[in-house]
Amino acid sequence: MPYALYVPSDYDASKKYALVLHLHDAGSMDSDPMLTLCESQGAANYASPYFRDLLRAQGLDGAIVVCPAISEDFFMNEENPHYNLRIARDNWTLSCAAQAVWQLLDSLTEKYNIDENRIYGSGQSMGGMTVMAFASQRDNYFAALLPLSCKWGTNFKKERTFGGSRSYNAPIDGKLIFDTDDDGNAADYNNWFYLISDDNILYYSTAGENEEYQLLFRDLCGAEVETADMYLDDKTTVDSRNAIVRELTSRKSDLGIYQVNLSGNVGHMSAWFYGHSTTATLEWLSAQTREAETKRAKLDLNKAFTLADEQKKDSAHLWKTQKDGTKIYYPTGAQGSGTIGYNSPCTVLGSDEILEPGL
């Protein structure tokens, strides 16, 4: 797997460094890592003197930055001359590129003097989906996540045919993908809602993305995600965006999850521009630690999902309106139940095929 790696020119093995994983979107899938370095400002931000100085204020000497290149087609053998490595798929499954990234991260933490209390994950669209998935594969591995313009969920039925193909769970081997949470309790990485519930996450969302986890947290546990609205037009300044993010992240949150809801003159891809160019994002990221996550309690979701007696049919729970006017709602979970067995909804682009939310 090709990748770009930034190591400070004055790297000193006697000093500690943060490690930042940055993953590109599906539109830049290629074997050339230069694409992920140029498609957004993210990679350059993490290698910048500004981010270095923020980390130095936290007691580190800078950051090592790695940006894998995930190819759409990768030659495997004569029987599979074009193997699709798309790392995060629309039915919440991952390709073997995910295990390759874990191997890459492990090689870097072994080679360089990385502060394992300060490993960060960043990505947009497909890349954001991937770092969010990684957060459940190794509980509390990342000190913080910065996903932009992406959605994620959980799927316990990966063997079901969807979009013309079948998918499978990645091997839970205890080495690349863990079979316990950070406290040593048995935990299935498919139960994403449970495993990310104590994580430090700053999420930039465009309309219709990642609403489901907020509903489940609220319905099952009465927990609220801290959110802020950011309206964008040609008069919006970096200072005004910084003020919104600083106010949002200054709030006390039992979850540690913050969501910026983007609206106005913004779309799926332009959200990356605003997120990566808002310098308060880097301020927040540099201040997060793995230690803060391990001290925070997870939501009580490591148990079976059950339906509430009364199913809510309000606008908040509406997932999709079909062409014939049929409305599909997110299931209302019973207060006190968990998320094991719950499946997030998804669609196949360009078709009417859907997987409905629920069991």
Side-chain angles (χ1 to χ4, degrees), residues 149 205-207 209 232 262-274:
S149 200
S205 173
T206 44
E209 293 175 333
L232 302 163
L262 304 177
S263 63
N265 186 27
V266 62
H268 177 75
M269 297 178 71
S270 57
W272 315 338
F273 167 81
Y274 293 110

Side-chain angles (χ1 to χ4, degrees), residues 205-246:
S205 173
T206 44
E209 293 175 333
N210 263 16
E211 300 166 335
E212 181 189 35
Y213 80 105
Q214 292 194 46
L215 290 172
L216 285 168
F217 285 1
R218 184 181 304 127
D219 289 346
L220 302 178
C221 302
E224 294 290 341
V225 174
E226 294 293 333
T227 65
D229 295 330
M230 184 183 290
Y231 181 82
L232 302 163
D233 58 23
D234 56 4
K235 297 179 182 178
T236 306
T237 64
V238 174
D239 287 344
S240 64
R241 300 202 306 272
N242 280 338
I244 292 171
V245 172
R246 287 173 184 147

